[in-house]
Amino acid sequence: MTVSRRDFLLGAGSLLGVCGLESTWRSAAAFVPPPMSMPMRSTAATLAAPKVPLISPTSLARFVDPLPIPPVMRAAGQRAHPRYPGRQLPYYRVEMRAFKARLHRDLPPTSMWGYEGAFPGPTIDVKRDEPVLVEWINALPERHFLPIDHTIHGAEKGKPDVRTVTHVHGARVPADADGFPEDWYTPGRSALYHYPNGQDAATLWYHDHAMGITRLNVYAGLAGAYIVRDSEEQALQLPSGGYDIPLMLCDRLVAQDGSLYYPVSDDPSAPWVMQCNGNLPLCNGKIFPYLQVEPRRYRLRLINVANTSFFDLSLSHDQAFQQVASDQSLLAKPLERARIELYPAERADVLIDFSAWAGKTIQLRHQSQGILEFRVGASTGSKVPALPATLRDVPRIDSASATQHRVMALTEVDDANGNAMTMLLDGRRWSDPISEKPRQHSIETWSFVNPTGDAHPIHLHLVRFQIVDRRPFDLFAWNARRELKFTGPALPPEPHECGWKDTVRTDPGMVTRIAMRFEGEPGRYVWHCHFLEHEDNEMMRPYELLPA
């Protein structure tokens, strides 16, 4: 039996429900892009079975390791910058290094790469309108330890194995500090980036963005949190200090010798696969950890840093989350939610009140499986202060005032079995001429037409946006004539999507429309699918912001 990519995404995409994983590997599909000079393949390659035995989540004891809390990065000093004559800016020096870490008490050490030799890397904590300088230093080995596919554009055999360039996801930065995928550098070199931090308080994150190997570098561990704070948020007196915790969520496959396993196709010359779903959930780099908490309110900054997997999060005992922020800022008011679903790169800041659980435990769950246990201390008798009724004004963008309405298709070309051969944004490859050239300060709407079977998370660099609506359309009319024929009413964004976003889930069979003002400096930026395997293989495009 042949398993299509959609079947595989539904099956193996559940992190903890992969009991029959080995049999799925043999038949699930992967796309291997041939070099442009070679004839196109008529069928997609298949996912190869692992050649090493993998760790099963059922073999590991739960909640035996404390949850690591990444340290806050300290400035290494002060430096001048030509944009700020006569002024010294905080200067951070961040090295990317190889290291070994125990992902679980009962596993051998795992070789990884990380910022400052850790995964996650240290948290960079900044204030609005207080610019900083960060030097990202590549101190990694010369050879990669994960499988590079040299048939992918930008990762050809002539390129060095190990290349990095750091992107702060969600940051409003000059183009020369955004981490453009082709601006990579090799071991022994570095890049000094300037971050103005001229944006609302938000939970951002940083990760590698090197052309053609982003999926491998992030899987190796190159990611960390970047938090922007401002006085408006601080006035709300939300949990702070040790009660404000970034929680980076991802999944991995780990061999029994402790090494990371990255899935490959059955073609050794072209090992790329179209998705990478693990069976072991990691919370701040640990598998099934626990966190000792006080019986009070905490703020968790949930960040999905997985390559392809989404998280469907809930709390045990029917405890509710209070969501206070999404990708780019606070929501207008706290939103009570029983479940939080995060696609790759999405964030949600939630408050959890542990005051009713003194002396007990409560679990954070993905689907029905506990992935993090909270151990609540004894009651102190103190009262938990009431939540503010309102958080921050979120004025809506008038989509009718847009100067440009763009319609772009998310394209997958399939073989006869429904397996993807190639994936593109609006039918264009990375190297095609730039087609999106918005003007500085202009308002545009972008409509993503998704005739594929995957819910692609689309991310735009530089800007924050608002979701306008989603609307079903006639797939047959679109595929036959590229005619956009709607089959139902426009659906407004869900309440938790009504804040500022930088990554949007585009559902299959729907047109997802967003609106944004292109604030920021002119230059080249990118937009892409944040399934990292898709991004690395043509589902990424440059755009150019022109002067006003």
Side-chain angles (χ1 to χ4, degrees), residues 2-46:
T2 300
V3 179
S4 76
R5 72 188 188 286
R6 300 177 179 90
D7 296 330
F8 179 66
L9 198 62
L10 291 172
S14 300
L15 300 181
L16 305 178
V18 195
C19 299
L21 187 64
E22 289 78 6
S23 62
T24 308
W25 291 114
R26 298 187 181 91
S27 53
F31 158 58
V32 181
M36 294 302 293
S37 59
M38 295 176 61
M40 291 294 292
R41 299 177 62 132
S42 59
T43 60
T46 56

Side-chain angles (χ1 to χ4, degrees), residues 198-445:
Q199 58 192 108
D200 291 345
T203 301
L204 313 180
W205 63 293
Y206 60 91
H207 63 86
D208 183 72
H209 215 300
M211 192 77 187
I213 56 170
T214 294
R215 70 197 184 285
L216 305 179
N217 289 350
V218 173
Y219 196 80
L222 290 173
Y226 188 107
I227 296 174
V228 181
R229 304 184 187 275
D230 66 19
S231 57
E232 187 173 345
E233 181 187 78
Q234 289 175 333
L236 297 171
Q237 297 186 327
L238 299 174
S240 60
Y243 309 108
D244 178 359
I245 300 172
L247 188 61
M248 304 195 81
L249 303 171
C250 64
D251 58 338
R252 295 292 184 268
L253 295 160
V254 180
Q256 290 185 5
D257 65 1
S259 61
L260 285 180
Y261 176 79
Y262 184 87
V264 296
S265 80
D266 61 357
D267 183 347
S269 67
W272 178 86
V273 293
M274 69 167 296
Q275 57 230 0
C276 175
N277 300 111
N279 63 343
L280 297 172
L282 275 68
C283 301
N284 283 357
K286 283 288 184 182
I287 302 169
F288 304 133
Y290 69 87
L291 177 64
Q292 197 77 38
V293 297
E294 298 175 22
R296 53 157 294 157
R297 186 177 288 130
Y298 280 71
R299 177 178 186 167
L300 290 185
R301 298 173 183 262
L302 305 173
I303 310 171
N304 184 347
V305 302
N307 282 36
T308 313
S309 298
F310 70 90
F311 281 85
D312 182 5
L313 302 170
S314 62
L315 295 169
S316 60
H317 309 299
D318 296 322
Q319 174 80 349
F321 301 102
Q322 295 287 338
Q323 184 173 349
V324 294
S326 56
D327 296 348
Q328 276 283 323
S329 184
L330 293 168
L331 299 175
K333 61 182 180 180
L335 181 63
E336 183 171 307
R337 300 185 66 193
R339 293 171 55 247
I340 303 284
E341 188 178 76
L342 292 179
Y343 272 68
E346 287 191 307
R347 285 91 71 205
D349 287 18
V350 299
L351 305 184
I352 304 177
D353 184 358
F354 295 109
S355 60
W357 302 98
K360 300 178 182 178
T361 62
I362 190 169
Q363 291 180 6
L364 176 68
R365 294 176 170 175
H366 165 64
Q367 297 179 351
S368 61
Q369 303 274 353
I371 61 173
L372 169 62
E373 181 177 82
F374 301 102
R375 299 177 180 176
V376 188
S379 176
T380 60
S382 58
K383 292 184 178 181
V384 176
L387 276 177
T390 59
L391 298 170
R392 187 189 291 270
D393 185 34
V394 184
R396 299 298 295 175
I397 295 176
D398 179 9
S399 58
S401 68
T403 58
Q404 183 79 256
H405 300 278
R406 303 182 192 269
V407 178
M408 288 96 95
L410 311 179
T411 307
E412 292 183 4
V413 179
D414 296 348
D415 67 12
N417 294 319
N419 301 314
M421 296 292 294
T422 188
M423 293 168 292
L424 306 170
L425 293 175
D426 211 28
R428 295 179 175 90
R429 296 180 180 273
W430 169 262
S431 57
D432 288 336
I434 294 177
S435 48
E436 287 75 47
K437 297 182 178 182
R439 288 280 178 185
Q440 190 183 25
H441 308 309
S442 68
I443 293 175
E444 293 195 3
T445 66

